[in-house]
Amino acid sequence: MSTPYPVRLAGEELWLLPEKAIYWPAQEALLVADVHFGKAAAYRRLGQPVPQGTTTQNIRVLDALLARLACRQLIFLGDFLHGPGSHAPATLSALAQWRARHIDLPMTLIRGNHDKRAGDPPTSLNIRVVPEPMLLGPFALQHEPDPHPDRHVLAGHVHPVYRLQGRGRQSLRLACFRLAEAVSLLPAFGAFTGGYQVERDDSCRLFVIGDNEIWPV
């Protein structure tokens, strides 16, 4: 079982999770960014040789988190579906079965750029879809990491990763959380997503994910 890493942000305690999500105990909320369900299926439809089973893997991790944490809401910070090709029958069937296992859990999607191309999730999934920002407590929950005039922004979109340098030419790119004064970034939750390299400086705190643990950089 992975171990949460508690941090203080905007006066609230948040748990950084090695599963690349955030749990907010006071709201009993699980925050997830950039799942990109159906991305691999969309690529395969274009004839690209990409991994199979990524939707199943993402669902398995979500199920484990919801079983372990006291959640009364699940909030997706954008990019639930990857694109129009994500509406493949197998992907939608897997999502329908997953939703049925959590039929009483309120779920909200803050529409991201990929959601605008892919279209909203099927109404049968009973996921409330809202534009950004979604204001909750001291936070503006968003997809795009744009500053908010009076709330701390929790956002996705960037897929932050950090490069750890070893000896010689050895290095390792790891997904990370980037917590800053006004805008903080969640890593991409999806199992088949790229990453944008961020740097460490005095304006932020970085926490990388490795060996199923959170490590401050």
Side-chain angles (χ1 to χ4, degrees):
M1 180 182 297
S2 63
T3 303
Y5 193 103
V7 296
R8 298 291 299 183
L9 192 65
E12 292 286 322
E13 179 179 287
L14 302 178
W15 296 0
L16 309 183
L17 304 174
E19 292 85 356
K20 299 186 290 187
I22 285 179
Y23 179 66
W24 185 358
Q27 294 287 339
E28 295 185 336
L30 182 62
L31 310 180
V32 174
D34 301 280
V35 182
H36 288 269
F37 279 124
K39 181 176 182 178
Y43 273 63
R44 284 194 297 273
R45 288 183 66 180
L46 297 174
Q48 301 295 322
V50 297
Q52 294 196 8
T54 55
T55 292
T56 301
Q57 181 178 344
N58 291 335
I59 287 174
R60 186 183 302 119
V61 176
L62 277 174
D63 278 341
L65 287 173
L66 293 174
R68 193 171 85 235
L69 300 168
C71 290
R72 57 184 174 89
Q73 52 184 326
L74 172 56
I75 303 172
F76 294 97
L77 305 186
D79 290 1
F80 181 82
L81 294 173
H82 178 72
S86 301
H87 291 262
T91 300
L92 295 184
S93 175
L95 289 173
Q97 294 175 48
W98 167 72
R99 186 63 173 111
R101 293 196 293 273
H102 309 283
I103 193 168
D104 294 324
L105 178 66
M107 298 184 186
T108 301
L109 167 63
I110 300 161
R111 194 180 284 115
N113 58 305
H114 277 268
D115 301 300
K116 294 171 185 176
R117 292 197 299 108
D120 292 343
T123 56
S124 58
L125 293 181
N126 191 27
I127 298 175
R128 182 172 69 113
V129 181
V130 300
E132 59 183 359
M134 174 181 171
L135 304 182
L136 190 60
F139 297 113
L141 306 180
Q142 303 178 180
H143 180 65
E144 301 283 348
D146 299 323
H148 189 274
D150 53 21
R151 308 286 180 106
H152 188 102
V153 171
L154 291 176
H157 184 59
V158 176
H159 304 191
V161 297
Y162 181 74
R163 184 180 295 277
L164 289 176
Q165 288 295 144
R167 293 182 178 180
R169 297 182 178 179
Q170 292 182 339
S171 67
L172 187 64
R173 275 167 50 102
L174 297 174
C176 70
F177 297 89
R178 186 183 189 276
L179 309 184
E181 182 177 348
V183 178
S184 294
L185 302 175
L186 281 71
F189 183 87
F192 180 52
T193 52
Y196 174 79
Q197 186 170 319
V198 296
E199 302 298 333
R200 180 181 59 178
D201 57 45
D202 293 337
S203 69
C204 68
R205 294 178 285 165
L206 292 183
F207 301 84
V208 299
I209 301 167
D211 289 335
N212 209 31
E213 292 189 35
I214 302 289
W215 304 88
V217 178

